[in-house]
Amino acid sequence: MPRENAIELRNLRKTYAATARSPAKEALKGVDLDIPRGSIFGLLGPNGAGKSTMINILAGLVTKTSGQVTIWGFDQDKNPRQSRASIGVMPQELNIDPFFTPRAALDVQAGLYGMPKSQRDVEGVLRLIGLEDKAEAYARTLSGGMRRRLLLGKALIHNPHVLVLDEPTAGVDIELRQMLWANVRRLNEERGMTIILTTHYLEEAEEMCDEIAIINQGVVIARDRTENLLAQMDQKSLVILPEGPSDAVTAPQGVTLERRSDGALVFSYSRAKTSPAAILDSLRVAGVGIRDVKTQEPDLQDVFVSLTQSA
Ligand code: ADP
Ligand code: MG
């Protein structure tokens, strides 16, 4: 049974108009993307890839040039109000009105979404983002981390189905990063909220996301479950520094052996097909001792590099 999608993008294009200082820029070149409901979905790509452009189109902050955007089943052009109510976006930039207190900022935001007072859970959101103590402080007195938490609160105040975080952990300290991730996981597990996050930290996407789309220069170049993307990179290496001469060593079947100039033996093998024990055996059989062993695992960085090179 096909899963329902939280977001559907069809042939989405964005060209920023030329200005006196810069030529026109085609930031999205026809993006097709489905993001399933209930997932934690990673949008991964280098700086300038088009991630924020895509997010800001979803948020209604940037006007698309052409294409179709559907949020929680609502076409953005035909049902602008419902599609906007279905999504909350924590933007990359720390744009906060310095004259509002966190409590007032959340209240105003809820008002913008037309939420009746009785349905607003300002106190609950303040608790969630850990700003109860600062509820009456002026925003300009808040630290960078607190401002970011307030932005998360503003994205959540209308209780959207889809929460989008644009580079939520770029430049934040470890404590805030952990707090953000804990919140994101809880919102996903307890409320079934669909989470979309952009990042250029590969470990972060690997750790957090069920599914990942990789975007580069305005084009989606890969999209799969995180483990499938990693499985594409099944190659692993064992780097062995032998004790004494190692000419007698031969690689087991299906394994390639490279002899480095420093004397190290680099065995490359498929994780699915060969166990490292077979490689160690080949040294034992040749009567060669082992001074040091290291393994090299692929990570998303490798997937990313190989995909962007082939694209
Ligand atoms: P990312 O978030 O992946 O780093 P962006 O969506 O911010 O990428 O940018 C994609 C491209 O569009 C970049 O080349 C960027 O310089 C350009 N761009 C982004 N915003 C604007 C804008 N407001 N005006 C003109 N060009 C822009
Ligand atoms: Mg960005």
Side-chain angles (χ1 to χ4, degrees):
M1 204 171 78
R3 288 181 298 170
E4 281 194 87
N5 291 318
I7 304 284
E8 291 178 0
L9 306 179
R10 293 291 174 269
N11 199 12
L12 181 63
R13 292 174 185 273
K14 174 65 188 181
T15 302
Y16 290 105
T19 65
R21 273 192 269 135
S22 57
K25 171 78 200 176
E26 196 181 5
L28 296 178
K29 301 173 184 168
V31 168
D32 290 300
L33 188 63
D34 289 345
I35 299 180
R37 295 187 181 191
S39 60
I40 301 185
F41 193 95
L43 209 54
L44 187 64
N47 276 323
K51 303 182 298 295
S52 291
T53 299
M54 195 190 287
I55 297 310
N56 290 336
I57 290 172
L58 290 174
L61 299 170
V62 165
T63 330
K64 64 182 192 263
T65 302
S66 64
Q68 199 183 0
V69 175
T70 306
I71 303 174
W72 214 256
F74 298 110
D75 184 300
Q76 200 180 40
D77 296 328
K78 293 180 193 142
N79 299 93
R81 212 177 51 79
Q82 291 95 325
S83 75
R84 207 171 81 89
S86 304
I87 193 167
V89 178
M90 176 174 158
Q92 190 172 357
E93 262 86 55
L94 284 177
N95 53 349
I96 275 183
D97 189 322
F99 299 106
F100 280 126
T101 68
R103 182 175 279 131
L106 293 174
D107 210 37
V108 167
Q109 184 79 3
L112 287 177
Y113 281 99
M115 284 187 103
K117 286 247 190 236
S118 62
Q119 278 176 28
R120 297 180 196 175
D121 185 16
V122 171
E123 299 313 311
V125 170
L126 281 169
R127 245 192 329 277
L128 183 83
I129 59 177
L131 282 184
E132 304 129 290
D133 296 350
K134 295 281 177 186
E136 295 302 333
Y138 280 108
R140 64 185 143 77
T141 70
L142 300 178
S143 70
M146 292 173 185
R147 287 176 196 213
R148 211 167 273 276
R149 272 141 66 188
L150 180 53
L151 285 176
L152 174 63
K154 285 176 72 176
L156 283 171
I157 190 69
H158 60 296
N159 202 16
H161 293 297
V162 186
L163 174 66
V164 185
L165 310 162
D166 195 2
E167 308 253 359
T169 57
V172 312
D173 59 31
I174 292 176
E175 213 176 320
L176 178 56
R177 179 187 287 222
Q178 284 171 346
M179 181 255 186
L180 277 169
W181 288 154
N183 273 331
V184 161
R185 285 217 169 88
R186 246 187 34 223
L187 290 165
N188 178 254
E189 280 165 17
E190 290 174 13
R191 298 199 210 170
M193 206 176 264
T194 304
I195 312 279
I196 302 169
L197 60 96
T198 77
T199 181
H200 56 258
Y201 294 132
L202 306 145
E203 320 77 59
E204 197 160 274
E206 195 174 331
E207 187 194 323
M208 286 296 298
C209 302
D210 314 321
E211 307 194 30
I212 291 175
I214 298 179
I215 176 169
N216 191 40
Q217 296 183 9
V219 177
V220 173
I221 56 172
R223 183 226 183 284
D224 211 328
R225 297 195 58 81
T226 307
E227 67 260 26
N228 292 348
L229 277 179
L230 288 173
Q232 283 183 22
M233 298 297 293
D234 175 52
Q235 285 295 306
K236 194 170 166 170
S237 309
L238 204 59
V239 183
I240 298 180
L241 205 55
E243 200 82 73
S246 61
D247 296 350
V249 176
T250 54
Q253 208 185 354
V255 177
T256 59
L257 168 58
E258 177 206 340
R259 294 170 192 274
R260 276 195 340 215
S261 57
D262 65 354
L265 305 172
V266 182
F267 296 90
S268 302
Y269 62 101
S270 153
R271 276 192 284 200
K273 295 192 194 111
T274 306
S275 99
I279 295 168
L280 297 175
D281 267 353
S282 70
L283 274 94
R284 200 177 42 78
V285 166
V288 175
I290 295 174
R291 191 138 45 104
D292 194 19
V293 183
K294 267 192 314 208
T295 59
Q296 285 172 5
E297 296 245 13
D299 56 16
L300 267 174
Q301 179 77 51
D302 301 309
V303 180
F304 185 64
V305 167
S306 74
L307 287 167
T308 43
Q309 276 167 356
S310 64

